[in-house]
């Protein structure tokens, strides 16, 4: 009897090992902006407005005015202003003008600087002047959104600062047509000078009509109304800044 052939069994194809699942992508942490008092801190207001103008999505991190470093800054005793501080995708920027330039770089379509080269140079110049100057104005007319002093007597040392700001505003409004300093678009310059608007209103500073109208324009912005409302509900007070006038 011939041997019976045994059918060969073909080997099943080896199963490919499943590729390891890709690690879930971590969402980039939200930007944060460190702020001090909304009632007293003009630097915080500048940084906050810049971020809002740029359209940046950010979380606020509040530093209590009772913090020793925050008090030094608010009382103009700090050698370097470190509030506000913007943290965004690995970058940490704590100078207000630095924040403005950083945001203009990463959000070029936000209009923080004018499109025209000459206007951009002008905008940088007046913003830088606000960032580093007007010490007498800062000292004698501290920002306090809860205060109003009708008929306030301006210290003689502060008047030249006021006159220079009026000159800047009047020139910009005439050159670019308003309603903002560089025309129809809000720029970094408007954020830099917004706290000055609040000072002029708190201390009843007399202005020409174009500058008075500019103050109305700034205070009517929804962002300013939001900030002022938060400032007025702020419970903290700083004794040294509750000055007797």
């Amino acid at each position: 009897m011939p041997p019976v052939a045994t059918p060969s069994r073909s080997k099943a194809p080896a199963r490919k090992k499943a590729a390891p699942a890709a690690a879930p992508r971590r969402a980039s942490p939200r930007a944060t902006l460190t702020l001090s008092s909304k009632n007293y801190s003009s630097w915080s207001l500048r940084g906050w407005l810049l971020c809002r103008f740029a359209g940046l999505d950010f979380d606020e991190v509040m530093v209590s005015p009772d913090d020793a470093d925050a008090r030094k800054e608010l009382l103009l005793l700090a050698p370097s202003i470190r509030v506000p501080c913007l943290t965004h995708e690995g970058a940490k920027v704590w100078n207000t003008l630095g924040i403005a330039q950083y945001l203009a770089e990463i959000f070029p379509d936000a209009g923080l600087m004018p499109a025209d080269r000459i206007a951009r140079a002008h905008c940088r110049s007046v913003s830088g002047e606000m960032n580093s100057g007007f010490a007498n104005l800062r000292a004698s007319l501290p920002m306090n959104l809860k205060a109003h002093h009708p008929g306030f007597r301006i210290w003689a040392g502060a008047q030249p600062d006021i006159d220079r700001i009026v000159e800047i505003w009047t020139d910009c409004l005439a050159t670019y047509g308003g309603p903002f300093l560089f025309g129809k678009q809000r720029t970094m310059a408007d954020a830099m000078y917004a706290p000055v608007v609040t000072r002029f209103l708190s201390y009843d500073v007399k202005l020409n009509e174009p500058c008075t109208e500019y103050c109305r324009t700034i205070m009517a912005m929804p962002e300013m109304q939001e900030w002022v409302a938060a400032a007025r509900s702020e419970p903290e007070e700083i004794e040294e800044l509750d000055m007797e006038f």
Side-chain angles (χ1 to χ4, degrees):
M1 182 175 180
V4 179
T6 305
S8 61
R9 296 182 179 177
S10 58
K11 294 183 178 179
R15 293 184 178 178
K16 292 183 179 180
K17 292 184 178 180
R25 293 183 63 185
R26 293 184 179 179
S28 298
R30 282 168 59 90
T32 60
L33 185 68
T34 302
L35 303 169
S36 187
S37 166
K38 289 192 172 183
N39 187 55
Y40 294 114
S41 178
S42 58
W43 295 108
S44 293
L45 173 56
R46 291 184 179 100
W48 188 85
L49 284 175
L50 286 164
C51 290
R52 292 292 294 271
F53 288 179
L56 178 66
D57 191 17
F58 65 95
D59 291 325
E60 297 179 10
V61 178
M62 299 301 297
V63 177
S64 170
D66 291 331
D67 177 85
D69 288 336
R71 290 171 72 86
K72 288 179 182 177
E73 290 177 358
L74 292 172
L75 294 168
L76 308 179
L77 300 176
S80 174
I81 303 296
R82 290 173 290 176
V83 175
C85 179
L86 173 64
T87 302
H88 176 257
E89 295 184 352
K92 190 172 185 178
V93 195
W94 59 89
N95 177 274
T96 309
L97 190 59
I99 291 172
Q101 293 173 335
Y102 175 76
L103 291 171
E105 178 183 342
I106 61 174
F107 296 109
D109 296 330
L112 288 178
M113 286 196 286
D116 177 74
R117 176 179 63 88
I118 303 301
R120 278 200 309 276
H122 193 181
C123 182
R124 285 191 181 99
S125 296
V126 299
S127 296
E129 191 170 349
M130 183 70 256
N131 190 66
S132 59
F134 307 114
N136 288 336
L137 175 72
R138 301 181 201 280
S140 62
L141 278 68
M143 179 166 137
N144 185 342
L145 296 177
K146 297 178 183 179
H148 185 221
H149 303 286
F152 181 76
R153 184 175 179 181
I154 304 296
W155 173 48
Q159 191 61 50
D161 283 356
I162 294 172
D163 294 342
R164 174 57 185 151
I165 290 169
V166 168
E167 180 184 11
I168 290 171
W169 289 4
T170 303
D171 177 47
C172 286
L173 294 167
T175 301
Y176 303 103
F180 299 102
L181 291 179
F182 287 85
K184 295 180 180 179
Q185 174 69 43
R186 304 178 302 186
T187 66
M188 67 166 67
D190 298 295
M192 296 299 291
Y193 283 91
V196 177
V197 169
T198 72
R199 285 177 160 102
F200 285 175
L201 295 176
S202 292
Y203 297 96
D204 198 25
V205 176
K206 305 305 179 187
L207 302 170
N208 61 32
E209 184 53 35
C211 292
T212 299
E213 185 59 32
Y214 176 67
C215 289
R216 294 192 193 103
T217 297
I218 292 299
M219 295 306 296
M221 294 190 304
E223 295 88 351
M224 281 298 291
Q225 294 180 6
E226 179 183 342
W227 180 276
V228 170
R232 288 179 175 165
S233 66
E234 198 173 68
E236 296 88 353
E237 291 185 358
I238 300 178
E239 184 176 351
E240 290 90 337
L241 287 178
D242 288 338
M243 302 169 65
E244 293 295 332
F245 295 110

